[in-house]
Amino acid sequence: MKTRARLPRLVACGATLTLALTLSACGDGDGGSGSDGKIHVLVYGDATNKVEKQLVEKFNKTSDVKVVLDTLPGADYQKKLQTIINTPQAPDVFFNWGGGSIKPFVKAGLLMPLDDFIEKNPDLENKFLPSVFNNAVVDGKPYGVPMRGTQPVLLFHNKKVLDEAGVKPPKTWDELLEAVSALKAKGVTPIALGGGDIWPTQMWFQYLYDRVAGPELFAKALGGDKSAWESPDSKKALDMIRELVDAGAFGKNYDSVKYTNAGSVQLVASGKAGFELMGSWYYSQQLTDHPDFAEKSLGYTAFPTVSGGKGDPKNVAGNTNNYYSVMKKTKHPEAVAEFLKLMYSDDFVKAQMDIGNLPTTTNTKDFLDQAADPKYSRFQYDLVADAPSFQLSWDQAYPQKASSDMHKAIQQFFNGQLDTDGFIKAMQALPTD
Amino acid sequence: MTTQITSARPAAGPRKGARRRPPASNATKVGRPSFAWALPAALFFALFAIAPLVMVAVLSFMTWDGISSPQFVGMDNWSRLMDDPVMLNSIWLTLLLTVLGVVIQTPLSIVLGVWAAGNQRNRAVLSVIYFIPLLLSATAVSVLWRALLDPNFGIPAEATWLFGDGNLFGEQATAIGVLAFVSTWQFTPFHTLIYQGAARAVPEVLYQAAEIDGAGRYRQFFHITLPQLRNSMITSMILMIVGGLTTFETVLILTQGGPGTDTTISAYYMYDKAFQGFDFGTGSAIALALVVAATIISLVVVRVSGYDKMRSTMEGVS
């Protein structure tokens, strides 16, 4: 079929463009804010909500202005948020990824700069790791307070596979290339990649650019100076990616593999691949899918250094953290400021660590020993705490509207549909504000 | 109670009385349906179909990112689309997938439908199993096939002689092949159902007459069954074409329009522009173009096939 309902559905889909404005904001039903004397906090709906519910309950016990937690389930959070943000249904405080995910809202004058809050209570800035806090700074003003946990991207590996091929976890790019050919000779895919999702492919770009050129190149490009993409450093990073792909590091069918259906996860766990570059959530993913492998043979290291690269080898890339941003129109700014203080409280840190998140507050290190896997948590914490710069994932750093075209360019360069010049042109065509 | 049942059966006894009664009650109590009867439906249709369509049409002349207020830009969105290589490519891909759907599914569902119209018991059971894909949502079907076609752990890993390195979603030809296959797998049962019903409605006397004239099974199929299925074929093909033009979920879940833009069909491109690129103006223009195209093509098919003349096959064999 492709059914009788398709055409009306398509029309209805178009209708959503306009009617979405009238829809209720929140999964829990009682959306809307301001008028009911409460603060509405909108968060991405997932397992972490139980921590947020605890915090809200605790806050409401002592506060006159009550907080209502609204959850918005599903991966389309950003898209749904954008449809309600400029309507009466908009929340007072909302979850986001910092960077480009809030830039359009800042530009539209919807968000409240937090410098007044911070002036009254400097802890709102001082209690967080600077490399993380800075990712919610737009045009020199802070627009977000970190919440939940940090997610640096790490190079994971299967210890057994590496041992059998006589390979040590690589510290430098050259060692990685050597490891690739050694693993290939053993008949395993050197690096597992869920290219079907594209964002895992992007991780290779954001790390290599940072190692080769330092964070400045990307910052420049994001600032609107598109010549950055044509620079020799940019071309060098692209050449290195090309070299790695052509060396067969990812096999031939990476675009048909997905991380989101656990295809690439299984590749590493089953010993069919050696490495995988993935966010720190990978550990708990393996622990869920393949507990035996995760406990015995899953290794992790930082991304290799690149000799002659301008970027500090200690730099990290990934999702820095999630943030709470505040709407300018909120009727209870004092209560909101009080609520945000909770984000660096001991209770918050403890509760997050209990469910495997790694908060980015300065007091986190006091609780590292209480984590599910203290060694792993400490490794991550030190990595992020020592990082001079934390490169936010490219598709989160750019405005949301650029992400689809960026993904296309990345996938096409990786599989050879675009050459270096084509990729540069595609990146230059992306909107930066 | 019992009398009513028997009277409803035309073959049974008091046939005349049963025939006379309904018209009488119709004329006196119910009256001819007036426009008022259509009002609720018309209102709903206007509210949920016409009004959004008009709004989309207006929006296609505006630029809007979903946050700030929309601004009129005249023909900008439209003229940009005309020069957009991705848009042109998406039209070609949409047509290709639609034609593939019709060409593959029509013969398949006719053969299966005629076969399923038989009356042996095992056929009934097999038919029921066969119709299961019809009950699944396109989303579930797509997720299922994406997992089944995983190059390392799915079917391709077991049948390397057929799939090679299994990079089905990494190349345009195979990605389109997968899309065509998955929609065939899901939607052929629906069209089979149409043909099954139609094949069962072919008067038995035709076959009896043909048999007396010495026609074999194949002759009967081509000279009786197939012509008798003509109207069903048009219905089925219109559904396939309109469905093909607006295919969306399979692409969203199986390929995301990729690799690159290799499977970006028009409906997906609309979604990509509007909901990923926050360019609701361009998205609306694509949506409107799709609605217009689907309407025109449906009208053409109806006209060319003579469906609009509402010729009845009840009168005899024509």
Side-chain angles (χ1 to χ4, degrees), chain A residues 1-2 9 15 17 82 86 252-253 256 400-401 404 408 411 417, chain B residues 52 65 67 146 165 167 169 187 190-191 243 249 260 262 272 277-278:
Chain A
M1 136 177 99
K2 341 257 179 104
R9 201 186 303 165
L17 306 182
Q82 183 135 359
N86 201 7
K252 284 182 183 151
N253 53 25
S256 303
Q400 170 78 17
K401 62 182 172 188
S404 172
K408 275 175 216 153
Q411 186 176 40
Q417 286 180 330
Chain B
D65 61 0
I67 304 176
R146 181 83 208 198
D165 55 21
N167 195 18
F169 296 100
F187 296 127
F190 173 77
H191 297 284
E249 300 101 309
D262 283 353
D272 188 52
F278 293 107

PDB file of all heavy atoms in Angstrom, chain A residues 1-2 9 15 17 82 86 252-253 256 400-401 404 408 411 417, chain B residues 52 65 67 146 165 167 169 187 190-191 243 249 260 262 272 277-278:
ATOM      1  N   MET A   1       0.838  -1.177   0.000  1.00  0.00           N
ATOM      2  CA  MET A   1       0.000   0.000   0.000  1.00  0.00           C
ATOM      3  C   MET A   1       0.872   1.223   0.000  1.00  0.00           C
ATOM      4  O   MET A   1       1.302   1.603  -1.060  1.00  0.00           O
ATOM      5  CB  MET A   1      -0.971  -0.147   1.138  1.00  0.00           C
ATOM      6  CG  MET A   1      -1.227   1.012   2.014  1.00  0.00           C
ATOM      7  SD  MET A   1      -2.486   0.532   3.206  1.00  0.00           S
ATOM      8  CE  MET A   1      -1.550   0.149   4.595  1.00  0.00           C
ATOM      9  N   LYS A   2       1.474   1.777   1.076  1.00  0.00           N
ATOM     10  CA  LYS A   2       1.777   3.184   1.176  1.00  0.00           C
ATOM     11  C   LYS A   2       0.360   3.688   1.200  1.00  0.00           C
ATOM     12  O   LYS A   2      -0.253   3.776   0.159  1.00  0.00           O
ATOM     13  CB  LYS A   2       2.470   3.803  -0.026  1.00  0.00           C
ATOM     14  CG  LYS A   2       3.147   2.796  -0.964  1.00  0.00           C
ATOM     15  CD  LYS A   2       4.558   2.791  -0.748  1.00  0.00           C
ATOM     16  CE  LYS A   2       5.385   1.863  -1.533  1.00  0.00           C
ATOM     17  NZ  LYS A   2       6.111   2.436  -2.568  1.00  0.00           N
ATOM     18  N   ARG A   9      -1.894  12.452   5.861  1.00  0.00           N
ATOM     19  CA  ARG A   9      -0.912  12.539   6.926  1.00  0.00           C
ATOM     20  C   ARG A   9       0.165  13.564   6.576  1.00  0.00           C
ATOM     21  O   ARG A   9       0.638  14.304   7.419  1.00  0.00           O
ATOM     22  CB  ARG A   9      -0.262  11.177   7.149  1.00  0.00           C
ATOM     23  CG  ARG A   9       0.361  11.063   8.530  1.00  0.00           C
ATOM     24  CD  ARG A   9       1.115   9.785   8.698  1.00  0.00           C
ATOM     25  NE  ARG A   9       0.255   8.628   8.449  1.00  0.00           N
ATOM     26  CZ  ARG A   9       0.740   7.411   8.245  1.00  0.00           C
ATOM     27  NH1 ARG A   9       2.027   7.207   8.247  1.00  0.00           N
ATOM     28  NH2 ARG A   9      -0.064   6.405   8.023  1.00  0.00           N
ATOM     29  N   ALA A  15       0.597  20.755   8.444  1.00  0.00           N
ATOM     30  CA  ALA A  15      -0.229  21.555   9.345  1.00  0.00           C
ATOM     31  C   ALA A  15       0.465  21.755  10.679  1.00  0.00           C
ATOM     32  O   ALA A  15       0.330  22.798  11.309  1.00  0.00           O
ATOM     33  CB  ALA A  15      -1.559  20.853   9.565  1.00  0.00           C
ATOM     34  N   LEU A  17       3.339  22.371  11.126  1.00  0.00           N
ATOM     35  CA  LEU A  17       4.218  23.523  11.028  1.00  0.00           C
ATOM     36  C   LEU A  17       3.566  24.724  11.677  1.00  0.00           C
ATOM     37  O   LEU A  17       4.193  25.500  12.377  1.00  0.00           O
ATOM     38  CB  LEU A  17       4.517  23.864   9.577  1.00  0.00           C
ATOM     39  CG  LEU A  17       5.082  22.773   8.667  1.00  0.00           C
ATOM     40  CD1 LEU A  17       5.343  23.331   7.285  1.00  0.00           C
ATOM     41  CD2 LEU A  17       6.360  22.220   9.238  1.00  0.00           C
ATOM     42  N   GLN A  82      12.075  23.871  20.077  1.00  0.00           N
ATOM     43  CA  GLN A  82      12.077  25.034  19.203  1.00  0.00           C
ATOM     44  C   GLN A  82      10.661  25.479  18.813  1.00  0.00           C
ATOM     45  O   GLN A  82      10.419  26.654  18.583  1.00  0.00           O
ATOM     46  CB  GLN A  82      12.899  24.736  17.942  1.00  0.00           C
ATOM     47  CG  GLN A  82      13.010  25.933  17.016  1.00  0.00           C
ATOM     48  CD  GLN A  82      14.422  26.128  16.498  1.00  0.00           C
ATOM     49  OE1 GLN A  82      15.337  25.386  16.827  1.00  0.00           O
ATOM     50  NE2 GLN A  82      14.615  27.141  15.677  1.00  0.00           N
ATOM     51  N   ASN A  86       8.900  30.067  21.841  1.00  0.00           N
ATOM     52  CA  ASN A  86       8.420  31.449  21.756  1.00  0.00           C
ATOM     53  C   ASN A  86       6.909  31.528  21.894  1.00  0.00           C
ATOM     54  O   ASN A  86       6.247  32.347  21.262  1.00  0.00           O
ATOM     55  CB  ASN A  86       8.865  32.082  20.434  1.00  0.00           C
ATOM     56  CG  ASN A  86       8.859  33.593  20.515  1.00  0.00           C
ATOM     57  OD1 ASN A  86       8.643  34.168  21.585  1.00  0.00           O
ATOM     58  ND2 ASN A  86       9.069  34.250  19.396  1.00  0.00           N
ATOM     59  N   LYS A 252      34.690  -1.821   5.054  1.00  0.00           N
ATOM     60  CA  LYS A 252      34.033  -1.267   3.859  1.00  0.00           C
ATOM     61  C   LYS A 252      32.571  -0.949   4.085  1.00  0.00           C
ATOM     62  O   LYS A 252      31.951  -0.268   3.291  1.00  0.00           O
ATOM     63  CB  LYS A 252      34.146  -2.273   2.713  1.00  0.00           C
ATOM     64  CG  LYS A 252      35.531  -2.292   2.089  1.00  0.00           C
ATOM     65  CD  LYS A 252      35.549  -3.273   0.924  1.00  0.00           C
ATOM     66  CE  LYS A 252      36.943  -3.364   0.341  1.00  0.00           C
ATOM     67  NZ  LYS A 252      37.182  -4.689  -0.258  1.00  0.00           N
ATOM     68  N   ASN A 253      31.988  -1.480   5.147  1.00  0.00           N
ATOM     69  CA  ASN A 253      30.530  -1.341   5.260  1.00  0.00           C
ATOM     70  C   ASN A 253      30.097  -0.485   6.447  1.00  0.00           C
ATOM     71  O   ASN A 253      28.997  -0.618   6.946  1.00  0.00           O
ATOM     72  CB  ASN A 253      29.878  -2.725   5.331  1.00  0.00           C
ATOM     73  CG  ASN A 253      30.479  -3.582   6.423  1.00  0.00           C
ATOM     74  OD1 ASN A 253      31.020  -3.052   7.394  1.00  0.00           O
ATOM     75  ND2 ASN A 253      30.402  -4.892   6.280  1.00  0.00           N
ATOM     76  N   SER A 256      26.668   1.140   6.684  1.00  0.00           N
ATOM     77  CA  SER A 256      25.499   0.287   6.930  1.00  0.00           C
ATOM     78  C   SER A 256      25.415  -0.158   8.381  1.00  0.00           C
ATOM     79  O   SER A 256      24.464  -0.817   8.776  1.00  0.00           O
ATOM     80  CB  SER A 256      25.561  -0.948   6.030  1.00  0.00           C
ATOM     81  OG  SER A 256      25.629  -0.574   4.680  1.00  0.00           O
ATOM     82  N   GLN A 400      21.244  24.351  15.427  1.00  0.00           N
ATOM     83  CA  GLN A 400      20.544  23.122  15.079  1.00  0.00           C
ATOM     84  C   GLN A 400      20.263  23.017  13.582  1.00  0.00           C
ATOM     85  O   GLN A 400      20.359  21.963  12.986  1.00  0.00           O
ATOM     86  CB  GLN A 400      19.248  23.070  15.884  1.00  0.00           C
ATOM     87  CG  GLN A 400      18.281  21.978  15.490  1.00  0.00           C
ATOM     88  CD  GLN A 400      18.696  20.631  16.026  1.00  0.00           C
ATOM     89  OE1 GLN A 400      19.503  20.527  16.934  1.00  0.00           O
ATOM     90  NE2 GLN A 400      18.149  19.577  15.444  1.00  0.00           N
ATOM     91  N   LYS A 401      19.960  24.149  12.945  1.00  0.00           N
ATOM     92  CA  LYS A 401      19.539  24.081  11.544  1.00  0.00           C
ATOM     93  C   LYS A 401      20.679  23.684  10.612  1.00  0.00           C
ATOM     94  O   LYS A 401      20.447  23.346   9.461  1.00  0.00           O
ATOM     95  CB  LYS A 401      18.927  25.415  11.105  1.00  0.00           C
ATOM     96  CG  LYS A 401      19.890  26.580  11.164  1.00  0.00           C
ATOM     97  CD  LYS A 401      19.167  27.857  10.764  1.00  0.00           C
ATOM     98  CE  LYS A 401      20.065  29.058  10.999  1.00  0.00           C
ATOM     99  NZ  LYS A 401      19.357  30.319  10.812  1.00  0.00           N
ATOM    100  N   SER A 404      21.934  18.950   9.873  1.00  0.00           N
ATOM    101  CA  SER A 404      21.631  17.970   8.835  1.00  0.00           C
ATOM    102  C   SER A 404      22.601  18.090   7.657  1.00  0.00           C
ATOM    103  O   SER A 404      23.144  17.093   7.177  1.00  0.00           O
ATOM    104  CB  SER A 404      20.188  18.162   8.374  1.00  0.00           C
ATOM    105  OG  SER A 404      19.923  17.374   7.264  1.00  0.00           O
ATOM    106  N   LYS A 408      25.553  15.425   6.338  1.00  0.00           N
ATOM    107  CA  LYS A 408      25.653  14.962   4.951  1.00  0.00           C
ATOM    108  C   LYS A 408      27.089  15.108   4.458  1.00  0.00           C
ATOM    109  O   LYS A 408      27.653  14.195   3.869  1.00  0.00           O
ATOM    110  CB  LYS A 408      24.725  15.780   4.048  1.00  0.00           C
ATOM    111  CG  LYS A 408      23.310  15.266   4.011  1.00  0.00           C
ATOM    112  CD  LYS A 408      22.432  16.211   3.192  1.00  0.00           C
ATOM    113  CE  LYS A 408      21.048  16.286   3.805  1.00  0.00           C
ATOM    114  NZ  LYS A 408      20.369  17.552   3.519  1.00  0.00           N
ATOM    115  N   GLN A 411      29.467  12.566   6.073  1.00  0.00           N
ATOM    116  CA  GLN A 411      29.298  11.217   5.539  1.00  0.00           C
ATOM    117  C   GLN A 411      29.850  11.122   4.123  1.00  0.00           C
ATOM    118  O   GLN A 411      30.526  10.162   3.761  1.00  0.00           O
ATOM    119  CB  GLN A 411      27.819  10.824   5.547  1.00  0.00           C
ATOM    120  CG  GLN A 411      27.595   9.381   5.141  1.00  0.00           C
ATOM    121  CD  GLN A 411      26.133   8.969   5.244  1.00  0.00           C
ATOM    122  OE1 GLN A 411      25.234   9.733   4.912  1.00  0.00           O
ATOM    123  NE2 GLN A 411      25.892   7.760   5.717  1.00  0.00           N
ATOM    124  N   GLN A 417      32.351  10.394  -1.527  1.00  0.00           N
ATOM    125  CA  GLN A 417      31.463  11.086  -2.466  1.00  0.00           C
ATOM    126  C   GLN A 417      31.843  12.555  -2.627  1.00  0.00           C
ATOM    127  O   GLN A 417      31.487  13.189  -3.620  1.00  0.00           O
ATOM    128  CB  GLN A 417      30.005  10.990  -1.986  1.00  0.00           C
ATOM    129  CG  GLN A 417      29.387   9.621  -2.173  1.00  0.00           C
ATOM    130  CD  GLN A 417      27.945   9.580  -1.683  1.00  0.00           C
ATOM    131  OE1 GLN A 417      27.567  10.290  -0.761  1.00  0.00           O
ATOM    132  NE2 GLN A 417      27.149   8.732  -2.281  1.00  0.00           N
TER     133      GLN A 417
ATOM    134  N   PRO B  52      -5.182  23.674   7.271  1.00  0.00           N
ATOM    135  CA  PRO B  52      -3.724  23.516   7.292  1.00  0.00           C
ATOM    136  C   PRO B  52      -3.113  23.661   5.905  1.00  0.00           C
ATOM    137  O   PRO B  52      -2.035  24.241   5.743  1.00  0.00           O
ATOM    138  CB  PRO B  52      -3.521  22.087   7.807  1.00  0.00           C
ATOM    139  CG  PRO B  52      -4.763  21.746   8.509  1.00  0.00           C
ATOM    140  CD  PRO B  52      -5.851  22.489   7.844  1.00  0.00           C
ATOM    141  N   ASP B  65      11.706  30.418  11.028  1.00  0.00           N
ATOM    142  CA  ASP B  65      12.571  29.432  11.674  1.00  0.00           C
ATOM    143  C   ASP B  65      11.900  28.809  12.890  1.00  0.00           C
ATOM    144  O   ASP B  65      12.517  28.060  13.625  1.00  0.00           O
ATOM    145  CB  ASP B  65      13.902  30.071  12.066  1.00  0.00           C
ATOM    146  CG  ASP B  65      13.724  31.211  13.053  1.00  0.00           C
ATOM    147  OD1 ASP B  65      12.563  31.484  13.428  1.00  0.00           O
ATOM    148  OD2 ASP B  65      14.722  31.829  13.438  1.00  0.00           O
ATOM    149  N   ILE B  67      10.959  30.344  15.545  1.00  0.00           N
ATOM    150  CA  ILE B  67      11.103  31.169  16.742  1.00  0.00           C
ATOM    151  C   ILE B  67      10.594  32.583  16.496  1.00  0.00           C
ATOM    152  O   ILE B  67       9.664  33.053  17.130  1.00  0.00           O
ATOM    153  CB  ILE B  67      12.575  31.271  17.191  1.00  0.00           C
ATOM    154  CG1 ILE B  67      13.153  29.881  17.420  1.00  0.00           C
ATOM    155  CG2 ILE B  67      12.673  32.091  18.472  1.00  0.00           C
ATOM    156  CD1 ILE B  67      14.606  29.904  17.769  1.00  0.00           C
ATOM    157  N   ARG B 146      16.194  -2.873   9.254  1.00  0.00           N
ATOM    158  CA  ARG B 146      17.505  -2.278   9.462  1.00  0.00           C
ATOM    159  C   ARG B 146      18.375  -3.242  10.282  1.00  0.00           C
ATOM    160  O   ARG B 146      19.551  -3.419  10.023  1.00  0.00           O
ATOM    161  CB  ARG B 146      17.365  -0.931  10.179  1.00  0.00           C
ATOM    162  CG  ARG B 146      18.671  -0.200  10.429  1.00  0.00           C
ATOM    163  CD  ARG B 146      19.142   0.605   9.241  1.00  0.00           C
ATOM    164  NE  ARG B 146      20.601   0.723   9.258  1.00  0.00           N
ATOM    165  CZ  ARG B 146      21.309   1.610   8.583  1.00  0.00           C
ATOM    166  NH1 ARG B 146      20.699   2.471   7.800  1.00  0.00           N
ATOM    167  NH2 ARG B 146      22.606   1.642   8.645  1.00  0.00           N
ATOM    168  N   ASP B 165      30.215  -7.419   0.729  1.00  0.00           N
ATOM    169  CA  ASP B 165      30.600  -6.910   2.046  1.00  0.00           C
ATOM    170  C   ASP B 165      29.397  -6.359   2.820  1.00  0.00           C
ATOM    171  O   ASP B 165      29.545  -5.844   3.923  1.00  0.00           O
ATOM    172  CB  ASP B 165      31.715  -5.866   1.936  1.00  0.00           C
ATOM    173  CG  ASP B 165      31.338  -4.726   1.010  1.00  0.00           C
ATOM    174  OD1 ASP B 165      30.122  -4.532   0.790  1.00  0.00           O
ATOM    175  OD2 ASP B 165      32.234  -4.034   0.513  1.00  0.00           O
ATOM    176  N   ASN B 167      27.440  -3.809   2.370  1.00  0.00           N
ATOM    177  CA  ASN B 167      27.304  -2.357   2.545  1.00  0.00           C
ATOM    178  C   ASN B 167      26.042  -1.847   1.856  1.00  0.00           C
ATOM    179  O   ASN B 167      26.092  -0.957   1.015  1.00  0.00           O
ATOM    180  CB  ASN B 167      28.548  -1.658   1.980  1.00  0.00           C
ATOM    181  CG  ASN B 167      28.641  -0.224   2.433  1.00  0.00           C
ATOM    182  OD1 ASN B 167      28.000   0.163   3.411  1.00  0.00           O
ATOM    183  ND2 ASN B 167      29.412   0.568   1.725  1.00  0.00           N
ATOM    184  N   PHE B 169      23.507  -0.064   2.836  1.00  0.00           N
ATOM    185  CA  PHE B 169      23.048   1.304   3.066  1.00  0.00           C
ATOM    186  C   PHE B 169      24.114   2.335   2.711  1.00  0.00           C
ATOM    187  O   PHE B 169      23.913   3.521   2.864  1.00  0.00           O
ATOM    188  CB  PHE B 169      22.628   1.487   4.523  1.00  0.00           C
ATOM    189  CG  PHE B 169      21.457   0.634   4.902  1.00  0.00           C
ATOM    190  CD1 PHE B 169      21.636  -0.546   5.599  1.00  0.00           C
ATOM    191  CD2 PHE B 169      20.178   1.003   4.537  1.00  0.00           C
ATOM    192  CE1 PHE B 169      20.563  -1.341   5.930  1.00  0.00           C
ATOM    193  CE2 PHE B 169      19.090   0.215   4.871  1.00  0.00           C
ATOM    194  CZ  PHE B 169      19.287  -0.959   5.567  1.00  0.00           C
ATOM    195  N   PHE B 187       3.791  -3.715   1.790  1.00  0.00           N
ATOM    196  CA  PHE B 187       2.524  -3.281   1.194  1.00  0.00           C
ATOM    197  C   PHE B 187       1.916  -4.244   0.197  1.00  0.00           C
ATOM    198  O   PHE B 187       0.735  -4.141  -0.106  1.00  0.00           O
ATOM    199  CB  PHE B 187       2.698  -1.905   0.562  1.00  0.00           C
ATOM    200  CG  PHE B 187       3.013  -0.850   1.576  1.00  0.00           C
ATOM    201  CD1 PHE B 187       4.101  -0.017   1.438  1.00  0.00           C
ATOM    202  CD2 PHE B 187       2.204  -0.707   2.694  1.00  0.00           C
ATOM    203  CE1 PHE B 187       4.384   0.943   2.391  1.00  0.00           C
ATOM    204  CE2 PHE B 187       2.487   0.250   3.655  1.00  0.00           C
ATOM    205  CZ  PHE B 187       3.575   1.083   3.499  1.00  0.00           C
ATOM    206  N   PHE B 190      -1.384  -5.777   1.278  1.00  0.00           N
ATOM    207  CA  PHE B 190      -2.572  -4.923   1.171  1.00  0.00           C
ATOM    208  C   PHE B 190      -3.167  -5.030  -0.221  1.00  0.00           C
ATOM    209  O   PHE B 190      -4.374  -5.228  -0.389  1.00  0.00           O
ATOM    210  CB  PHE B 190      -2.206  -3.476   1.484  1.00  0.00           C
ATOM    211  CG  PHE B 190      -3.325  -2.513   1.234  1.00  0.00           C
ATOM    212  CD1 PHE B 190      -4.378  -2.410   2.121  1.00  0.00           C
ATOM    213  CD2 PHE B 190      -3.334  -1.727   0.092  1.00  0.00           C
ATOM    214  CE1 PHE B 190      -5.414  -1.527   1.887  1.00  0.00           C
ATOM    215  CE2 PHE B 190      -4.357  -0.843  -0.150  1.00  0.00           C
ATOM    216  CZ  PHE B 190      -5.409  -0.740   0.743  1.00  0.00           C
ATOM    217  N   HIS B 191      -2.323  -4.932  -1.242  1.00  0.00           N
ATOM    218  CA  HIS B 191      -2.823  -4.978  -2.611  1.00  0.00           C
ATOM    219  C   HIS B 191      -3.295  -6.381  -2.966  1.00  0.00           C
ATOM    220  O   HIS B 191      -4.257  -6.559  -3.712  1.00  0.00           O
ATOM    221  CB  HIS B 191      -1.743  -4.479  -3.570  1.00  0.00           C
ATOM    222  CG  HIS B 191      -1.393  -3.042  -3.325  1.00  0.00           C
ATOM    223  ND1 HIS B 191      -2.209  -2.012  -3.726  1.00  0.00           N
ATOM    224  CD2 HIS B 191      -0.362  -2.470  -2.666  1.00  0.00           C
ATOM    225  CE1 HIS B 191      -1.667  -0.870  -3.330  1.00  0.00           C
ATOM    226  NE2 HIS B 191      -0.553  -1.115  -2.684  1.00  0.00           N
ATOM    227  N   GLY B 243       0.768   6.731  -2.483  1.00  0.00           N
ATOM    228  CA  GLY B 243       1.604   6.277  -1.374  1.00  0.00           C
ATOM    229  C   GLY B 243       3.080   6.437  -1.690  1.00  0.00           C
ATOM    230  O   GLY B 243       3.853   6.906  -0.869  1.00  0.00           O
ATOM    231  N   GLU B 249       8.349   7.265   6.237  1.00  0.00           N
ATOM    232  CA  GLU B 249       8.913   6.590   7.413  1.00  0.00           C
ATOM    233  C   GLU B 249      10.045   5.650   7.051  1.00  0.00           C
ATOM    234  O   GLU B 249      11.056   5.589   7.752  1.00  0.00           O
ATOM    235  CB  GLU B 249       7.838   5.801   8.165  1.00  0.00           C
ATOM    236  CG  GLU B 249       6.689   6.614   8.685  1.00  0.00           C
ATOM    237  CD  GLU B 249       5.503   6.466   7.775  1.00  0.00           C
ATOM    238  OE1 GLU B 249       5.700   6.662   6.548  1.00  0.00           O
ATOM    239  OE2 GLU B 249       4.411   6.161   8.252  1.00  0.00           O
ATOM    240  N   GLY B 260      24.788  10.385   2.114  1.00  0.00           N
ATOM    241  CA  GLY B 260      24.732  11.753   1.593  1.00  0.00           C
ATOM    242  C   GLY B 260      23.286  12.121   1.313  1.00  0.00           C
ATOM    243  O   GLY B 260      22.463  12.106   2.217  1.00  0.00           O
ATOM    244  N   ASP B 262      21.692  10.503  -1.307  1.00  0.00           N
ATOM    245  CA  ASP B 262      21.399   9.512  -2.337  1.00  0.00           C
ATOM    246  C   ASP B 262      19.996   8.930  -2.276  1.00  0.00           C
ATOM    247  O   ASP B 262      19.499   8.411  -3.271  1.00  0.00           O
ATOM    248  CB  ASP B 262      22.421   8.362  -2.271  1.00  0.00           C
ATOM    249  CG  ASP B 262      23.749   8.764  -2.889  1.00  0.00           C
ATOM    250  OD1 ASP B 262      23.808   9.865  -3.468  1.00  0.00           O
ATOM    251  OD2 ASP B 262      24.725   7.998  -2.794  1.00  0.00           O
ATOM    252  N   ASP B 272      13.373  17.230   6.232  1.00  0.00           N
ATOM    253  CA  ASP B 272      14.742  17.672   6.490  1.00  0.00           C
ATOM    254  C   ASP B 272      14.820  19.199   6.525  1.00  0.00           C
ATOM    255  O   ASP B 272      15.412  19.784   7.436  1.00  0.00           O
ATOM    256  CB  ASP B 272      15.642  17.110   5.386  1.00  0.00           C
ATOM    257  CG  ASP B 272      17.110  17.364   5.672  1.00  0.00           C
ATOM    258  OD1 ASP B 272      17.545  17.019   6.780  1.00  0.00           O
ATOM    259  OD2 ASP B 272      17.798  17.911   4.809  1.00  0.00           O
ATOM    260  N   GLY B 277      16.250  21.560   9.446  1.00  0.00           N
ATOM    261  CA  GLY B 277      16.912  22.792   9.063  1.00  0.00           C
ATOM    262  C   GLY B 277      16.160  24.025   9.550  1.00  0.00           C
ATOM    263  O   GLY B 277      16.600  25.147   9.357  1.00  0.00           O
ATOM    264  N   PHE B 278      14.998  23.844  10.157  1.00  0.00           N
ATOM    265  CA  PHE B 278      14.168  24.956  10.634  1.00  0.00           C
ATOM    266  C   PHE B 278      13.956  26.012   9.566  1.00  0.00           C
ATOM    267  O   PHE B 278      14.042  27.197   9.815  1.00  0.00           O
ATOM    268  CB  PHE B 278      14.738  25.554  11.910  1.00  0.00           C
ATOM    269  CG  PHE B 278      14.651  24.603  13.055  1.00  0.00           C
ATOM    270  CD1 PHE B 278      15.771  23.976  13.554  1.00  0.00           C
ATOM    271  CD2 PHE B 278      13.417  24.275  13.597  1.00  0.00           C
ATOM    272  CE1 PHE B 278      15.677  23.057  14.576  1.00  0.00           C
ATOM    273  CE2 PHE B 278      13.322  23.363  14.617  1.00  0.00           C
ATOM    274  CZ  PHE B 278      14.448  22.754  15.115  1.00  0.00           C
TER     275      PHE B 278
END
